C-alpha cells in the first residue's frame, strides 16, 4: 500500500505501518484506524481496497510528510 508517496511495509500491522509516514505516531495511527472502522491488528498486505480508501481519505485530510516538514522548517526559521 502506498500513501503520500511512501510504501508501507507489507508485513507490519496497520497501526505500526502507518507510523512510516512522517507526522503519524502510534496514537494517531490507532485513531485513524478506529475512525475508519478497521481492526488495528490487520496486516498492511491484507487490507482490502475499501479499507485502503478509508485510510487514504483520513490521511489526506491531515498535514503530513513534505507539507509538515516545510511547515516545521518555516516555524524554526
Amino acid at each position: 500500500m502506498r500513501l503520500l508517496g511512501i510504501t508501507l511495509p507489507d508485513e507490519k500491522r496497520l497501526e505500526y505501518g502507518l507510523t512510516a509516514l512522517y507526522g503519524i505516531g502510534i496514537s494517531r495511527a490507532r485513531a485513524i484506524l478506529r475512525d475508519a472502522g478497521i481492526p488495528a491488528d490487520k496486516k498492511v498486505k491484507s487490507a482490502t481496497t475499501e479499507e485502503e480508501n478509508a485510510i487514504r481519505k483520513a490521511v489526506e485530510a491531515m498535514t503530513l510528510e513534505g507539507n509538515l516538514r516545510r511547515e516545521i522548517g518555516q516555524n524554526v526559521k
Side-chain angles (χ1 to χ4, degrees):
M1 175 189 316
R2 285 184 63 84
L3 293 173
L4 303 175
I6 306 297
T7 302
L8 302 182
D10 284 336
E11 294 302 319
K12 288 194 174 186
R13 292 171 33 176
L14 277 170
E15 65 182 341
Y16 295 111
L18 285 173
T19 62
L21 298 171
Y22 184 78
I24 295 183
I26 192 68
S27 61
R28 187 178 257 189
R30 287 178 181 157
I32 290 169
L33 294 173
R34 183 179 55 245
D35 293 343
I38 301 168
D41 60 347
K42 186 174 243 189
K43 298 268 186 177
V44 171
K45 68 180 178 181
S46 65
T48 64
T49 305
E50 294 82 23
E51 292 170 339
E52 286 183 27
N53 290 336
I55 293 170
R56 187 169 283 113
K57 183 179 177 183
V59 166
E60 288 176 352
M62 300 176 184
T63 303
L64 301 172
E65 282 298 321
N67 293 335
L68 181 59
R69 291 177 198 266
R70 194 174 307 108
E71 184 178 316
I72 290 172
Q74 289 174 351
N75 289 343
V76 169
K77 286 180 185 179

